[in-house]
Amino acid sequence: MKPIVKICGITRVQDALFAAALGADFLGLNLFPRSPRSLSLSKAREIADAVHGRVGLVGVFVNVPTPQVLAAMDLIGLDLAQLHGDEWPEEVQALGRRAIKVFRSLPVTATHLARFPSVWGYLVDTPNPKLFGGTGVVWDWSSLRAVSSERPILVAGGISPENAKRALAESGATGLDVNSGVEAAPGVKDGEKLKRLFEELDDLAL
């Protein structure tokens, strides 16, 4: 089955257009001010407008009050909000199927996922409860394999064209969240790396 592919940390219109053309399912726009890939609302809207209708759009938020998340989503035109902080279940519940809940500590179990039953899906990133917004560090993806859910589970953390298949095989995840592994510099995607990523995953769609 074709894995879900989310390309995160998009900061340029040309990168958004290229990733969408290659077949990305979602693009991630980082709205966490302390991230090197952070976008203003106006820049995020510019990128979103350029690819509207071609690809799903996900905003990355860290400990932002729900009303502000919803306002940003409406302003930019986001499909989903990726909650990368320490949000309470009640906050996540308010977003319902518009939320992706991120876990940054292990082990992640079905019990952890069950605290957030209404979300679109889950994302498991490099275990580090003190770092937010993605680290680009590889971890033991196999520790996720025993976890199953009816909702999509994406795996993140140092994923690149060279290890994307392994990340999927070891984790058993539904899809990938890829960022620094396809970059030339923070926020600047490398076209050749993006192409290689999708070429590596092509045969998994059969």
Side-chain angles (χ1 to χ4, degrees):
M1 182 167 54
K2 179 181 181 293
I4 296 169
V5 180
K6 174 175 170 279
I7 305 298
C8 204
I10 296 288
T11 65
R12 306 190 305 170
V13 167
Q14 61 263 46
D15 293 340
L17 291 168
F18 191 56
L22 287 172
D25 298 287
F26 294 98
L27 302 180
L29 307 179
N30 199 317
L31 300 168
F32 178 45
R34 284 161 46 194
S35 168
R37 302 168 184 85
S38 179
L39 298 169
S40 66
L41 292 176
S42 60
K43 183 63 178 180
R45 175 64 184 266
E46 178 189 351
I47 295 170
D49 286 347
V51 294
H52 180 72
R54 305 186 196 186
V55 64
L57 293 167
V58 182
V60 178
F61 299 89
V62 178
N63 296 330
V64 176
T66 301
Q68 293 181 32
V69 172
L70 288 168
M73 292 180 75
D74 289 344
L75 177 65
I76 298 167
L78 300 173
D79 299 292
L80 298 170
Q82 180 173 310
L83 305 178
H84 223 291
D86 302 310
E87 296 85 7
W88 289 94
E90 294 79 10
E91 297 175 280
V92 180
Q93 173 73 23
L95 290 167
R97 290 294 180 90
R98 298 185 76 186
I100 298 173
K101 183 66 188 98
V102 179
F103 296 91
R104 309 180 324 277
S105 60
L106 294 176
V108 172
T109 68
T111 301
H112 292 100
L113 271 55
R115 296 180 65 216
F116 306 95
S118 64
V119 297
W120 174 88
Y122 310 95
L123 188 151
V124 183
D125 200 355
T126 303
N128 192 322
K130 295 182 180 180
L131 292 177
F132 301 100
T135 64
V137 178
V138 173
W139 53 282
D140 181 10
W141 299 309
S142 65
S143 63
L144 186 61
R145 187 155 192 87
V147 182
S148 62
S149 171
E150 294 180 354
R151 309 250 189 266
I153 299 176
L154 307 183
V155 64
I159 295 172
S160 67
E162 290 73 29
N163 63 22
K165 281 185 179 178
R166 180 163 63 87
L168 286 167
E170 292 184 3
S171 68
T174 317
L176 301 170
D177 184 285
V178 186
N179 191 348
S180 60
V182 290
E183 285 186 329
V188 178
K189 300 310 181 197
D190 183 309
E192 287 304 314
K193 289 180 181 179
L194 277 171
K195 284 172 61 179
R196 288 204 336 261
L197 174 72
F198 284 94
E199 286 168 0
E200 283 293 312
L201 298 175
D202 268 352
D203 59 339
L204 299 182
L206 300 177

